[in-house]
Amino acid sequence: MLFLVFSVASAAAVSCSVAKVPATRMVSIPAVNAALQVRAHAQKSACMFACSSPSPQRHRAASPIMLSTATAAWTGGCVLFGASGAFVVVPNLKPWYESINKPSWSPPNNIFAPMWTTLYTILGIASARAFGLNPLSQPRALAVFALQAVLNLAWAPLFFGAKKLGLACFVSSALLASAVAT
């Protein structure tokens, strides 16, 4: 999780520095406070749900085959979802991305594909562990997951496709705040 937050923070910092947005304006303190309040509320709700739910012995456990299938589906879905941004990113790497002024600590282009594939694989495995066979049983967690997916999917077309660096900075900052909240 910390690796994911660090990666999102790095992407936010790069897109914001290219857009010339001061780092102090990337994520405002009220946004961080709101994210922490949402996290505290979610933890409190989860505790209340766990304390009031029926005993786990009353439910039949899912078979290992079903859990493996769910893990494969979540992981494959997340990796395919992440790869969908490549249609916008790859055509804009050589002509545009290489020509913009980036910070000295910006990683080389050839590291992005393996890094994001690894991150989406980890995200898929974590999603399978969190949601399992019935994602609708946790509507709040699924809503946060969907919000993060939409923000993540929106970033590449904004940054690479439309070249709207300020808006991409805002989306990265919102993604970072939502990742901190979870």
Side-chain angles (χ1 to χ4, degrees):
M1 181 62 185
L2 185 59
F3 182 65
L4 178 62
V5 171
F6 175 74
S7 298
V8 172
S10 296
V14 169
S15 60
C16 293
S17 68
V18 171
K20 297 182 176 42
V21 175
T24 55
R25 293 185 57 205
M26 280 187 352
V27 178
S28 66
I29 298 300
V32 172
N33 287 339
L36 293 175
Q37 288 173 352
V38 168
R39 180 179 182 181
H41 177 70
Q43 288 173 339
K44 183 177 176 184
S45 298
C47 177
M48 288 171 47
F49 175 76
C51 296
S52 65
S53 64
S55 170
Q57 288 85 11
R58 293 184 194 171
H59 300 288
R60 201 173 90 195
S63 73
I65 293 173
M66 290 176 67
L67 293 175
S68 297
T69 304
T71 302
W74 278 103
T75 304
C78 286
V79 170
L80 288 174
F81 178 83
S84 67
F87 295 110
V88 178
V89 174
V90 172
N92 288 298
L93 280 177
K94 294 269 183 210
W96 178 72
Y97 184 71
E98 287 183 353
S99 68
I100 60 175
N101 257 344
K102 294 180 284 299
S104 61
W105 48 268
S106 180
N109 293 348
N110 62 352
I111 196 73
F112 288 111
M115 181 202 59
W116 282 109
T117 303
T118 302
L119 283 173
Y120 281 115
T121 301
I122 293 168
L123 179 63
I125 293 167
S127 299
R129 289 181 56 98
F131 297 119
L133 302 171
N134 188 7
L136 298 178
S137 67
Q138 301 177 48
R140 286 185 193 159
L142 188 60
V144 171
F145 180 81
L147 169 69
Q148 291 174 345
V150 167
L151 290 171
N152 204 347
L153 188 61
W155 184 83
L158 288 172
F159 187 82
F160 286 99
K163 298 170 182 64
K164 300 283 186 186
L165 306 181
L167 192 53
C169 175
F170 174 77
V171 168
S172 319
S173 299
L175 185 57
L176 177 61
S178 70
V180 168
T182 59

